[in-house]
Amino acid sequence: MGHPVPPREVRRRRRAPADQLDRHPLGREDRHPMSTHRLELLPAVDVRDGQAVRLVHGESGTETSYGDPLEAALTWQRAGAEWLHLVDLDAAFGTGDNRERIAEVVRAMDIKVELSGGIRDDETLAAALATGCTRVNLGTAALESPEWVAKVIAEHGDKIAVGLDVRGTTLRGRGWTRDGGDLYETLARLDSEGCARYVVTDIAKDGTLQGPNLELLRNVCAATDRPVVASGGVSSLDDLRALAGLVPEGVEGAIVGKALYAKAFTLEEALEAVSR
Ligand SMILES: O=C(O)c1ccccc1N[C@@H]1O[C@H](COP(=O)(O)O)[C@@H](O)[C@H]1O
């Protein structure tokens, strides 16, 4: 099946950076300052009902439980993780929250934490930042409250990332249950507002161990000069090597969930695979 064609304006902008990179006054590597770096890995801990869980396609009711989220996070930290991707799934779905557990996990971490789920207004943002996390990841708010998101990007800079959770090229919010507009139009708006980075999830791949959507990631990287964290589908060390191959295009990191919990490989093996 063919992929939806992005609007003409987006196609023009997506081609231009790739064509012009070698002529860019700063050169290819300064445009993507991380491009000489190795791929960052962010093991995921998603919390629902106080438990670490993995979902399939992000669908409520598909949970497999992996026990205590603090234990999971400490396991990834002990294995050498530099980042933790921590999600309050109840807050994302609107079925409550796991604030205390989440704050406990962040407090216990010596590593950087990217925190997401239910951060949609001043109160939830303040609570998230008060945990001491390194940055937050906004999903629904970027679709439903664009003015508020522009304001917090201006106030907090690179402590704010935006999660672009997509089916095809349509963004999804509210626990990935509602359409929220076009990926490339939203990306252009957020770029113009100074958004520091994007976490791009292909919902069709998430939790499926089917491999990441490399084409989507390439297209997003061509449409923005901001770093992209890839999410969804990682199943093997080869998938991680393929994502590492996209670092020069702007992929900065990869979130790894199900593959680690299903023991497809260890985090130590994953870190080793992307270190060369
Ligand atoms: O991570 C998931 O599996 C997931 C599944 C369903 C909904 C959200 C999910 N994850 C994270 O939640 C934020 C969005 O939360 P919100 O819309 O800002 O409340 C998204 O960035 C994902 O990281």
Side-chain angles (χ1 to χ4, degrees), residues 46 55 58 85 87 89 92-93 116-118 120 137 139-140 165 175-176 206:
D46 289 17
L55 306 180
H85 176 75
V87 182
L89 276 182
F93 283 116
S116 63
R120 301 179 186 175
N137 186 35
T140 301
D165 305 326
W176 300 350
D206 202 55

Side-chain angles (χ1 to χ4, degrees), residues 41 43 75-77 79-81 256 260 265-272:
L41 296 184
T75 300
W76 308 137
Q77 176 169 279
V256 192
L260 287 174
F265 48 77
T266 66
L267 184 57
E268 290 90 336
E269 288 168 337
L271 290 163
E272 167 70 14

Side-chain angles (χ1 to χ4, degrees), residues 124-201:
T124 46
L125 176 61
L129 292 174
T131 63
C133 67
T134 310
R135 69 176 177 239
V136 299
N137 186 35
L138 310 178
T140 301
L143 313 178
E144 297 185 359
S145 311
E147 287 172 13
W148 179 76
V149 169
K151 181 190 82 146
V152 299
I153 286 172
E155 281 171 9
H156 298 284
D158 70 357
K159 288 190 90 65
I160 307 283
V162 168
L164 299 169
D165 305 326
V166 291
R167 271 199 180 274
T169 56
T170 301
L171 292 159
R172 302 277 283 174
R174 302 227 164 228
W176 300 350
T177 59
R178 271 195 223 168
D179 284 354
D182 177 72
L183 166 62
Y184 294 103
E185 285 171 14
T186 304
L187 186 59
R189 166 177 49 88
L190 290 162
D191 264 7
S192 74
E193 292 164 356
C195 185
R197 65 174 40 68
Y198 303 102
V199 178
V200 176
T201 304

Side-chain angles (χ1 to χ4, degrees), residues 186-259:
T186 304
L187 186 59
R189 166 177 49 88
L190 290 162
D191 264 7
S192 74
E193 292 164 356
C195 185
R197 65 174 40 68
Y198 303 102
V199 178
V200 176
T201 304
D202 182 354
I203 295 170
K205 296 278 193 176
D206 202 55
T208 66
L209 297 174
Q210 286 177 353
N213 186 339
L214 301 177
E215 184 187 7
L216 169 71
L217 293 164
R218 275 199 196 95
N219 287 342
V220 172
C221 286
T224 179
D225 59 0
R226 313 299 149 80
V228 167
V229 176
S231 175
V234 169
S235 69
S236 66
L237 296 176
D238 279 344
D239 287 343
L240 292 175
R241 291 185 193 105
L243 290 169
L246 297 185
V247 168
E249 293 179 44
V251 172
E252 176 186 67
I255 293 170
V256 192
K258 185 74 166 275

Side-chain angles (χ1 to χ4, degrees), residues 17-36 247-250:
D19 296 347
Q20 291 166 8
L21 268 181
D22 293 327
R23 288 180 281 128
H24 191 283
L26 292 176
R28 186 174 287 264
E29 288 180 358
D30 287 329
R31 188 169 170 276
H32 284 298
M34 298 301 290
S35 62
T36 55
V247 168
E249 293 179 44

Side-chain angles (χ1 to χ4, degrees), residues 56-137:
V56 181
H57 302 309
E59 280 170 23
S60 193
T62 63
E63 289 88 344
T64 304
S65 181
Y66 293 95
D68 181 3
L70 178 58
E71 269 314 305
L74 287 170
T75 300
W76 308 137
Q77 176 169 279
R78 278 194 293 269
E82 292 172 329
W83 275 99
L84 183 72
H85 176 75
L86 182 60
V87 182
D88 188 338
L89 276 182
D90 284 300
F93 283 116
T95 52
D97 67 67
N98 298 275
R99 270 197 200 182
E100 291 312 315
R101 300 245 60 195
I102 294 272
E104 180 191 14
V105 172
V106 180
R107 273 197 303 274
M109 292 294 104
D110 301 320
I111 59 176
K112 293 172 273 192
V113 178
E114 174 176 88
L115 180 56
S116 63
I119 305 166
R120 301 179 186 175
D121 55 25
D122 286 332
E123 193 270 326
T124 46
L125 176 61
L129 292 174
T131 63
C133 67
T134 310
R135 69 176 177 239
V136 299
N137 186 35

